[in-house]
């Protein structure tokens, strides 16, 4: 497979990943009042590990290559992604979704800057313009200017920064790692983080603590267990697709297409939450699509 075809497979992989991720987030948003952050992270990733192992055992002949542990760079990547998930979702209850998304989708800008500063990667004028257009499109789509700045926004910005580091580590230090190993290790780290979170809240939090962030283990209904199991089935696909995308193309390129989360989120919000996109969201989506066309035409 030539370089262009490899890059296009990476682009397709990230588009599949963000389509499913937007669906996942829409489902969690709809059921967020009944769940707790640490509980969700622990249960979803526990079930995800079992699903991955069952799939590998039943359908794959490469089980000897699959590992929960991986190299030290696999652990660095997983720790960054775990920090990203926890930071972003911890910020959501305390700030508008629009502002949180605007902060988080600075990730492609962080990727481009880190690629240039740390690795000396030449971005090129066209690709730099695409990153700028995509970033501006994100700002237009989420329209954060009407919101009051909040210190909690630093959590969402930290999530973007951690995601950018994980993307660069994936592309430069985990390129030869099996994507299934990356997914298994990530879920192992998330299980550990979720367990620590649940135990900490059970020991330290007051018994009346409520809310998505501060609840330790709310009682789950059968529908909630079904939702968590569905998320556990879906997230390994997302994690493998993201890992593969950043292995096949540069972080700057994939980072632009990562922004497709926004139009996909609008789609699922309309279908599942009966929310229609505003004109600013439509214009932002067109800007993001324009950036994607520029990237595709870059050689």
């Amino acid at each position: 497979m030539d370089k262009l075809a490899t890059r296009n497979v990476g682009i397709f992989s990230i588009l599949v990943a963000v389509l499913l991720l937007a669906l996942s987030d829409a489902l969690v948003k709809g059921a967020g009042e009944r769940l707790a952050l640490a509980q969700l992270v622990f249960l979803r990733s526990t079930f995800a590990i079992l699903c991955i192992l069952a799939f590998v055992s039943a359908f794959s002949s490469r089980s000897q290559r699959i590992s929960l542990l991986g190299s030290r760079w696999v652990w660095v990547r997983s720790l960054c992604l775990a920090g990203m998930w926890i930071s972003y979702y911890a910020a959501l209850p305390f700030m508008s979704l629009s502002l949180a998304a605007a902060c988080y989708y600075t990730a492609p800008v962080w990727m481009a800057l880190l690629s240039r500063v740390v690795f000396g990667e030449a971005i090129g004028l066209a690709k730099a313009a695409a990153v700028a257009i995509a970033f501006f499109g994100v700002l237009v789509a989420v329209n954060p200017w009407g919101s009051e700045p909040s210190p909690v926004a630093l959590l969402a910005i930290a999530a973007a920064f951690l995601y950018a580091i994980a993307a660069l580590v994936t592309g430069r230090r985990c390129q030869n790692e099996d994507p299934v190993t990356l997914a298994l290790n990530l879920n192992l780290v998330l299980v550990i983080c979720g367990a620590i979170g649940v135990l900490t809240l059970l020991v330290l939090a007051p018994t009346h603590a409520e809310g998505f962030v501060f609840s330790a283990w709310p009682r789950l209904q059968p529908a909630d267990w079904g939702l968590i199991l569905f998320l556990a089935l879906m997230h390994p696909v997302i994690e493998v697709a993201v890992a593969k995308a950043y292995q096949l193309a540069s972080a700057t390129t994939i980072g632009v297409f990562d922004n497709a989360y926004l139009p996909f989120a609008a789609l699922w919000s309309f279908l599942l939450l009966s929310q229609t996109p505003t004109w600013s969201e439509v214009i932002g989506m067109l800007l993001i699509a324009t950036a994607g066309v520029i990237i595709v035409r870059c050689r």
Side-chain angles (χ1 to χ4, degrees):
M1 187 181 297
D2 61 31
K3 185 176 181 180
L4 180 59
T6 299
R7 186 196 63 176
N8 290 340
V9 172
I11 290 171
F12 176 77
S13 296
I14 198 65
L15 290 175
V16 171
V18 294
L19 172 66
L20 295 178
L21 182 60
L23 172 59
S24 169
D25 289 348
L27 292 172
V28 171
K29 181 175 177 60
E33 294 182 356
R34 307 192 305 271
L35 306 174
L37 174 58
Q39 177 193 46
L40 174 62
V41 168
F42 175 78
L43 289 176
R44 185 185 69 185
S45 293
T46 299
F47 291 149
I49 289 175
L50 296 176
C51 291
I52 295 171
L53 293 176
F55 177 85
V56 169
S57 175
F59 300 105
S60 177
S61 61
R62 56 180 180 175
S63 58
Q64 297 299 319
R65 298 170 51 197
I66 305 302
S67 171
L68 272 169
L69 301 180
S71 68
R72 65 183 182 187
W73 288 110
V74 171
W75 282 90
V76 170
R77 174 186 181 274
S78 295
L79 287 169
C80 287
L81 288 176
M84 176 273 291
W85 282 109
I86 293 169
S87 297
Y88 184 66
Y89 281 115
L92 285 180
F94 304 103
M95 60 191 300
S96 71
L97 179 60
S98 295
L99 182 57
C103 294
Y104 178 69
Y105 277 90
T106 59
V109 177
W110 289 117
M111 291 177 203
L113 292 175
L114 287 170
S115 295
R116 176 61 181 164
V117 173
V118 178
F119 301 108
E121 179 181 302
I123 297 176
L125 182 60
K127 193 173 288 188
V131 171
I133 292 170
F135 180 58
F136 183 68
V138 169
L139 291 180
V140 172
V142 300
N143 190 23
W145 297 285
S147 303
E148 287 293 328
S150 169
V152 183
L154 294 175
L155 283 173
I157 293 173
F161 186 72
L162 289 169
Y163 182 76
I165 295 175
L168 292 173
V169 169
T170 303
R172 293 180 175 271
R173 295 291 183 265
C174 300
Q175 199 165 27
N176 296 321
E177 297 284 351
D178 192 295
V180 177
T181 294
L182 296 177
L184 278 171
N185 185 266
L186 171 57
N187 281 289
L188 174 62
V189 171
L190 286 168
V191 166
I192 294 171
C193 291
I196 292 173
V198 169
L199 292 174
T200 300
L201 289 170
L202 287 174
V203 172
L204 299 181
T207 55
H208 61 276
E210 297 180 351
F212 182 63
V213 175
F214 297 108
S215 294
W217 198 273
R219 186 183 300 274
L220 300 177
Q221 301 301 317
D224 301 324
W225 285 103
L227 172 62
I228 291 173
L229 181 58
F230 180 69
L231 294 174
L233 290 168
M234 191 162 47
H235 267 260
V237 178
I238 297 171
E239 292 156 3
V240 169
V242 169
K244 199 65 180 175
Y246 282 101
Q247 288 176 331
L248 294 175
S250 72
T252 303
T253 297
I254 297 301
V256 170
F257 287 90
D258 213 332
N259 287 322
Y261 172 90
L262 287 171
F264 289 143
L267 171 65
W268 292 122
S269 294
F270 175 74
L271 294 176
L272 301 179
L273 305 174
S274 300
Q275 298 176 348
T276 56
T278 64
W279 278 109
S280 64
E281 290 172 337
V282 172
I283 293 171
M285 293 171 200
L286 291 174
L287 288 170
I288 293 167
T290 300
V293 171
I294 293 173
I295 287 289
V296 168
R297 293 179 65 87
C298 290
R299 293 293 188 267

